[in-house]
């Protein structure tokens, strides 16, 4: 199995690249989707978050109010570490469950926003980094409905572009058109499957 780590800062276009790789035949496991799953209503993960951060992180329907949780953790490193200590082991266990269902001869792409922050780069045969300038990322986040201070705070809470680029085997520049990005992804795919 070829193990590919895919990462990029918030607003870089990593989800777009992930979808393109899936279209090319990769088996993608999305760490963000798993992160939502392990704190869904009724889970031990959500109960642990409520215990750590208080019941005001819940929405009216008893689901996690991500904005309320974000308000508590994005500007507070100790709180972010508590959050990670609760969620990361659960995410890792669920990822391992899903990996068991991927064929041994497949290309496995692990879509991990915090790959660099968690120090996972050595777990993969190749690391793809989706890169875009901070100002482009801020603009994309504004288009998603965030305000500028929140967008900049979220970018600042993640690894820097330089830290991500330092672990990259392949850099996908997503500051241009979607067609240009697709060509880069197709070239990367050729490299991935060519190394099998």
């Amino acid at each position: 199995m070829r193990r590919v780590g895919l990462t990029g800062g918030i607003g870089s276009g990593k989800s777009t690249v992930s979808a393109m790789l899936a279209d090319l035949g990769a088996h993608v496991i999305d760490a963000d989707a798993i992160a939502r799953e392990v704190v869904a209503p009724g889970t031990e993960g959500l109960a642990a978050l409520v215990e750590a951060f208080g019941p005001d992180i819940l929405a009216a329907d008893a689901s996690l109010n991500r904005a309320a949780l974000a308000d508590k953790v994005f500007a507070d490193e100790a709180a972010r570490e508590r959050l990670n200590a609760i969620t990361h082991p659960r995410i890792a266990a669920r990822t391992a469950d899903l990996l068991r269902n991927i064929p041994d001869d497949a290309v496995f792409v692990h879509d991990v926003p915090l790959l660099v922050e968690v120090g996972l780069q050595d777990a993969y045969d190749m690391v793809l980094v989706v890169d875009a300038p901070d100002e482009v990322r801020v603009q994309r986040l504004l288009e998603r409905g965030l305000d500028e201070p929140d967008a900049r705070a979220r970018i600042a809470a993640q690894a820097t572009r330089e830290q991500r680029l330092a672990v990259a085997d392949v850099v996908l520049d997503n500051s241009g058109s979607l067609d240009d990005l697709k060509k880069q992804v197709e070239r990367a795919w050729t490299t991935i499957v060519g190394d099998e």
Side-chain angles (χ1 to χ4, degrees):
M1 182 186 299
R2 288 287 290 161
R3 293 172 178 258
V4 178
L6 172 66
T7 195
I10 186 170
S12 65
K14 184 181 52 57
S15 298
T16 301
V17 169
S18 180
M20 289 176 178
L21 289 166
D23 287 345
L24 290 167
H27 291 258
V28 177
I29 294 179
D30 180 343
D32 271 350
I34 293 172
R36 288 187 295 274
E37 181 182 326
V38 300
V39 295
T43 61
E44 290 179 10
L46 183 58
L49 289 180
V50 170
E51 185 175 328
F53 298 105
D56 57 330
I57 65 165
L58 293 176
D61 65 356
S63 67
L64 179 62
N65 179 334
R66 293 185 175 282
L69 180 60
D71 287 344
K72 292 187 179 217
V73 302
F74 273 110
D76 181 343
E77 189 170 340
R80 205 162 50 248
E81 287 173 5
R82 268 198 323 276
L83 170 65
N84 291 342
I86 292 167
T87 58
H88 288 178
R90 289 171 171 86
I91 293 166
R94 180 64 178 136
T95 300
D97 287 344
L98 294 171
L99 257 175
R100 284 191 271 280
N101 296 319
I102 296 177
D104 290 340
D105 61 350
V107 173
F108 157 53
V109 173
H110 197 190
D111 180 340
V112 186
L114 302 181
L115 183 147
V116 173
E117 292 85 341
V118 182
L120 292 177
Q121 58 269 18
D122 294 336
Y124 306 102
D125 301 309
M126 179 183 292
V127 174
L128 302 182
V129 172
V130 185
D131 185 53
D134 288 352
E135 292 309 311
V136 170
R137 293 166 57 207
V138 167
Q139 186 57 45
R140 290 176 181 157
L141 294 174
L142 294 177
E143 290 167 6
R144 288 188 201 170
L146 273 65
D147 63 29
E148 187 167 344
D150 189 22
R152 291 190 185 281
R154 289 179 188 227
I155 288 172
Q158 294 184 337
T160 64
R161 286 179 72 198
E162 292 73 22
Q163 288 169 318
R164 267 191 225 93
L165 296 175
V167 305
D169 294 303
V170 176
V171 177
L172 303 168
D173 176 5
N174 190 20
S175 59
S177 71
L178 204 54
D179 282 344
D180 182 48
L181 180 63
K182 187 173 184 184
K183 287 175 187 161
Q184 292 177 68
V185 170
E186 287 168 348
R187 281 196 299 272
W189 181 254
T190 300
T191 301
I192 293 164
V193 297
D195 287 347
E196 286 187 315

